Amino acid sequence: MSSITYLEAIREAQYEALKENPNVFLYGQDIGTFGGAFKATKNLGREFPGRVFDAPISEDAMIGMAIGAAVEGARPIIEMQFADFSSVGFNQIVNQAATLYWRTNTPCPITIRLPSGGTAGSGPFHSQSMESIYAHYPGLVILTPATVEDAYWMLLDSVKLEDPVIFCEHKFLYYHLKADDFGQSMPIGKARIARPGRDATVVTYSAMLHESLRAAEELRLDGYEVEVVDLRSVKPMDTDTILASVARTGRLLVVGEAFPWGGVTSEVIARVASEAFHLLDAPPLRLNSKDTPIPYHPNLWKSHRPTTSSIAAELRKLLRY
Amino acid sequence: MPSAASKTSTTAEPLAEFREDFLKALRSMVLSRTLEEKLGSLYRAGGRIVGGVYLGRGQEAFSAASGIHLRWGKDVYGPLIRDQAGRIAYGEPVIDTLRTYLGTVTGPMRGRDGNIHRGQPKIGYMAMISHLGSLLSVVAGALFARRLQGRLGDTVGATSIGDGGTSTGAFHEGMNMAAVEKLPLVVSIANNQYAYSTPTARQYACENLVDRAAGYGVAGHCVDGTDLLECVKTFRAAYQQARAGEGPQIVVGRLLRLGGHGEHDDASYVPDLQKHTHEGRDCLAVAQRQAVEHGWLTEKDVLDMQQDAKREVEQAMGLVMKEPAPDPYRENWQALSTAWLVEGQEG
Ligand SMILES: Cc1ncc(C[n+]2csc(CCOP(=O)(O)OP(=O)(O)O)c2C)c(N)n1
Ligand SMILES: [Mg+2]
């Protein structure tokens, strides 16, 4: 019986991190007594007195503070209430944290948790996927766990890394996704074949993994075996695993929930096109959200983001070519 | 005056207790001015310094009077653009400035960043990024971590900002956070009347920037930034209060930027009249006069101090000129400290 949710995995990883290392502390809005907007830090303030702090609504100062603390040997985990609000701390993330090691030879071990992605009714400012934006900047590690296991182990790994990590945890998976246990840890920076196949490759990550797996299942009924690659970490990106998959299938669809202009999906296509053009039997395709702000009403939202059926439709197009 | 703010008293006190602070600050001011004159002439000569040159002329007294309270390797310091004098007072060797301006590999920034963007975060000396206001929360975070780790002790933190930088959201967020956490932090606001070319009337609408201290719930101090003795007194009080656990201290110094925003800027927008006001006087000349008047230095001592500074700068310059520039083929082009996570490299 599956009992642990993706959200519980994130809470447990923080519990473990706090237990393992006295230098770990948590800083975020409403995360203390209240346990966080999503309860990702439930009871942690009680279990670790003096280690879990409510922050003022100051995303810039929250990240700046974490950077200063990290320089002094602390291991801060910063919770953004929603990924969307990290835009207010953007400068500290991309200019202060991401440049620190390169400029000063001083590592910046901070973990920034971004509750990311769309859920019905969340609207334009509580639904964003920021991985592409942050991945653009040198000096950051961008993780996008799609499973309970990865949510747990990759968060623990993030805290141990000496570099700033943008941990994009998907809100849609918080309660929906369950597992029996935390399973096995896999190294950061390695993609995973989530479903083997031979006719086409879907490269994806985070919540879109599950939509893509369902689409692959749909295509199976048509007689196709679609391989699905879960990137796990979008930066660094495991190009080798992607290329190996494309070598097997000759066809590529890349699916991401972020906005369509540039970004992770374009990056995958660019790498495959320039490094493995000869392996392709069809033009590579990409599927993202629409190029508008994220809508509020569920009817609109469902057709704004890629879904099982829109992914299946793209796959059919790809396979017909 | 707001209730939380206290104006430094100027009633006659025995001055002997300030002699040591004053002379230490003055030495830093002289060295800073000498070094910056060298930087200015290198800039004008062209060739050696590739980027801009940003000087603290006219702000040395205010900067140094803060810097003398900071212990190299012990306290946390996040200086800004016009803090050459404060950096020297804190203990930064002159050669590090030259190495950073020339971008040699021997410098703390190894040619990866330049001019005033320098520091050694590992010892608590934060290296500013350009984005104004963003360093305050970093300095606060360092203090926060030390407290968390139980090693705050009598550590104090300090950072600076200009009148223009106080308008940033980052400054407000950082100031408020430091106040909430009641950190031992001294924040210098050098109100030099201009932010690049923008006069203060276009920057803020309150009467005095120190009025904001009350809003943050922190102590505020005002000082004549052209008067070293006053600066020494004010900063001593501010640091004492910060170290005594009274939370952040805002110190506003009134002065004038005696030069352009950078050496590329002739500051033709500063009216001549303003240069002849009280705030436009040269704090270094004032301080040298004060030293002689109080019998702390003779005229000859003043000259000797200048000669020593010249020698020190020339000596450092001689060394730096022979030091290697960075080599792009030997550079480690890696933005992560975790080598196996750098794309294109195998673990
Ligand atoms: C956030 C940000 N915006 C713009 C700039 C460009 N800039 C650099 S210095 C400066 C003026 C700063 O004025 P002030 O804070 O008064 O300091 P001063 O130069 O007078 O010492 C500006 C606009 C910057 N560095 N950071
Ligand atoms: Mg100014």
Side-chain angles (χ1 to χ4, degrees):
Chain A
M1 213 196 59
S2 291
S3 54
I4 308 163
T5 64
Y6 182 94
L7 180 64
E8 282 160 357
I10 287 164
R11 198 209 87 100
E12 286 309 306
Q14 293 181 98
Y15 175 89
E16 210 45 46
L18 284 160
K19 205 174 78 179
E20 274 176 16
N21 185 345
N23 278 313
V24 172
F25 73 91
L26 313 188
Y27 195 53
Q29 290 149 23
D30 308 293
I31 67 167
T33 312
F34 187 63
F38 297 99
K39 300 288 177 247
T41 59
K42 190 175 166 188
N43 292 335
L44 292 178
R46 191 143 35 86
E47 286 158 336
F48 298 94
R51 311 265 302 277
V52 181
F53 302 91
D54 282 338
I57 306 170
S58 297
E59 286 75 10
D60 183 292
M62 287 161 65
I63 309 287
M65 186 278 227
I67 295 164
V71 164
E72 291 291 322
R75 295 269 167 171
I77 304 176
I78 305 302
E79 176 176 305
M80 291 283 121
Q81 201 152 65
F82 286 81
D84 312 55
F85 302 129
S86 73
S87 61
V88 179
F90 185 72
N91 178 52
Q92 295 284 7
I93 296 172
V94 306
N95 288 314
Q96 196 99 255
T99 66
L100 189 74
Y101 170 71
W102 197 77
R103 292 170 68 239
T104 70
N105 204 25
T106 310
C108 185
I110 65 176
T111 298
I112 305 171
R113 291 181 37 236
L114 303 189
S116 304
T119 50
S122 292
F125 311 114
H126 292 73
S127 303
Q128 292 170 26
S129 298
M130 312 279 286
E131 62 280 357
S132 291
I133 290 282
Y134 292 116
H136 186 68
Y137 280 85
L140 300 171
V141 174
I142 321 292
L143 306 182
T144 50
T147 65
V148 173
E149 294 83 347
D150 275 349
Y152 180 78
W153 291 110
M154 285 164 84
L155 184 48
L156 269 176
D157 284 348
S158 301
V159 179
K160 287 179 192 141
L161 273 188
E162 291 289 327
D163 290 293
V165 176
I166 308 296
F167 191 81
C168 305
E169 47 191 61
H170 204 293
K171 303 196 295 290
F172 191 75
L173 305 179
Y174 272 172
Y175 316 101
H176 289 53
L177 201 63
K178 291 181 182 167
D180 295 331
D181 54 44
F182 295 133
Q184 290 279 306
S185 121
M186 252 186 92
I188 283 175
K190 291 278 174 256
R192 178 176 71 96
I193 307 292
R195 176 191 174 106
R198 56 165 196 275
D199 299 317
T201 296
V202 177
V203 172
T204 186
Y205 57 96
S206 192
M208 288 298 124
L209 171 71
H210 305 283
E211 301 289 340
S212 300
L213 287 171
R214 280 192 287 272
E217 191 55 29
E218 242 185 80
L219 271 287
R220 193 178 62 87
L221 305 176
D222 300 354
Y224 293 111
E225 289 302 332
V226 174
E227 181 149 303
V228 180
V229 177
D230 173 9
L231 283 178
R232 302 177 64 248
S233 101
V234 304
K235 192 172 187 182
M237 184 180 279
D238 182 359
T239 314
D240 291 348
T241 298
I242 298 169
L243 294 178
S245 177
V246 173
R248 283 191 288 277
T249 66
R251 284 163 210 271
L252 174 65
L253 168 66
V254 193
V255 183
E257 190 178 329
F259 298 128
W261 205 100
V264 175
T265 56
S266 310
E267 182 65 26
V268 173
I269 302 256
R271 289 183 188 206
V272 171
S274 59
E275 291 178 44
F277 190 68
H278 60 285
L279 298 176
L280 290 167
D281 298 327
L285 298 181
R286 54 195 283 264
L287 187 61
N288 286 88
S289 78
K290 290 189 194 303
D291 193 20
T292 69
I294 302 157
Y296 162 72
H297 195 280
N299 288 355
L300 299 179
W301 174 67
K302 279 184 205 149
S303 54
H304 182 269
R305 72 200 272 267
T307 56
T308 302
S309 60
S310 67
I311 297 167
E314 282 309 289
L315 275 172
R316 290 198 176 94
K317 208 159 66 179
L318 181 69
L319 287 160
R320 265 202 311 272
Y321 183 89
Chain B
M1 284 303 288
S3 55
S6 70
K7 205 156 194 161
T8 309
S9 93
T10 47
T11 50
E13 304 123 294
L15 291 177
E17 60 166 315
F18 298 110
R19 181 178 178 274
E20 204 182 316
D21 280 5
F22 183 99
L23 290 178
K24 184 170 181 220
L26 180 58
R27 262 190 298 276
S28 309
M29 290 170 68
V30 171
L31 192 49
S32 173
R33 180 69 63 92
T34 311
L35 174 61
E36 292 201 331
E37 275 165 4
K38 182 79 196 172
L39 292 171
S41 65
L42 281 170
Y43 177 83
R44 284 184 294 278
R48 294 299 303 214
I49 295 181
V50 279
V53 168
Y54 304 91
L55 306 181
R57 191 181 168 85
Q59 307 192 187
E60 293 97 334
F62 187 65
S63 180
S66 177
I68 54 169
H69 293 283
L70 298 165
R71 296 160 300 177
W72 182 259
K74 271 196 177 156
D75 292 312
V76 183
Y77 188 31
L80 241 62
I81 170 169
R82 309 207 190 273
D83 278 321
Q84 180 57 56
R87 292 175 191 254
I88 289 174
Y90 164 58
E92 186 190 50
V94 157
I95 199 162
D96 281 4
T97 306
L98 293 168
R99 284 172 167 160
T100 308
Y101 266 100
L102 270 66
T104 62
V105 284
T106 44
M109 309 307 281
R110 301 163 293 162
R112 292 179 174 193
D113 206 342
N115 50 60
I116 55 205
H117 305 97
R118 62 179 194 274
Q120 301 176 47
K122 283 176 188 149
I123 64 153
Y125 180 21
M126 302 305 176
M128 64 175 280
I129 65 168
S130 292
H131 302 66
L132 295 168
S134 63
L135 199 58
L136 177 47
S137 56
V138 176
V139 173
L143 297 170
F144 183 92
R146 289 182 184 195
R147 186 167 68 192
L148 198 67
Q149 295 160 342
R151 57 188 185 89
L152 185 61
D154 65 349
T155 299
V156 74
T159 189
S160 318
I161 195 90
D163 42 283
T166 63
S167 305
T168 60
F171 177 78
H172 167 69
E173 287 193 9
M175 199 63 236
N176 179 62
M177 188 199 69
V180 167
E181 293 297 339
K182 222 166 188 282
L183 294 167
L185 176 67
V186 176
V187 178
S188 299
I189 302 179
N191 186 348
N192 63 5
Q193 314 308 317
Y194 289 90
Y196 207 153
S197 74
T198 305
T200 49
R202 300 295 307 161
Q203 199 67 243
Y204 58 84
C206 57
E207 198 173 306
N208 187 319
L209 286 170
V210 82
D211 296 348
R212 294 188 184 173
Y216 291 117
V218 304
H221 311 256
C222 277
V223 67
D224 174 354
T226 66
D227 185 326
L228 178 60
L229 190 54
E230 288 307 309
C231 289
V232 161
K233 290 179 193 168
T234 302
F235 276 107
R236 182 185 289 190
Y239 276 93
Q240 268 166 359
Q241 283 170 238
R243 287 204 155 101
E246 291 175 34
Q249 310 283 314
I250 288 181
V251 184
V252 179
R254 190 176 167 84
L255 36 81
L256 184 69
R257 196 187 68 206
L258 299 184
H261 170 62
E263 288 306 272
H264 59 278
D265 172 27
D266 69 2
S268 51
Y269 45 83
V270 178
D272 268 344
L273 216 59
Q274 195 172 17
K275 295 175 190 158
H276 298 104
T277 57
H278 180 84
E279 74 209 16
R281 53 186 198 151
D282 180 356
C283 64
L284 180 57
V286 173
Q288 286 169 328
R289 206 163 51 236
Q290 283 174 334
V292 175
E293 274 167 18
H294 294 301
W296 293 338
L297 293 180
T298 63
E299 301 274 0
K300 179 171 179 304
D301 293 335
V302 170
L303 288 175
D304 286 348
M305 204 184 271
Q306 280 167 343
Q307 285 310 318
D308 288 348
K310 274 211 179 76
R311 234 188 334 271
E312 185 169 343
V313 170
E314 287 308 329
Q315 210 169 30
M317 194 62 213
L319 284 174
V320 175
M321 294 296 264
K322 288 184 233 127
E323 289 178 351
D327 176 352
Y329 298 101
R330 288 181 175 202
E331 184 70 14
N332 184 6
W333 294 99
Q334 158 178 329
L336 295 175
S337 78
T338 313
W340 60 270
L341 285 181
V342 176
E343 292 199 0
Q345 304 204 352
E346 292 306 318

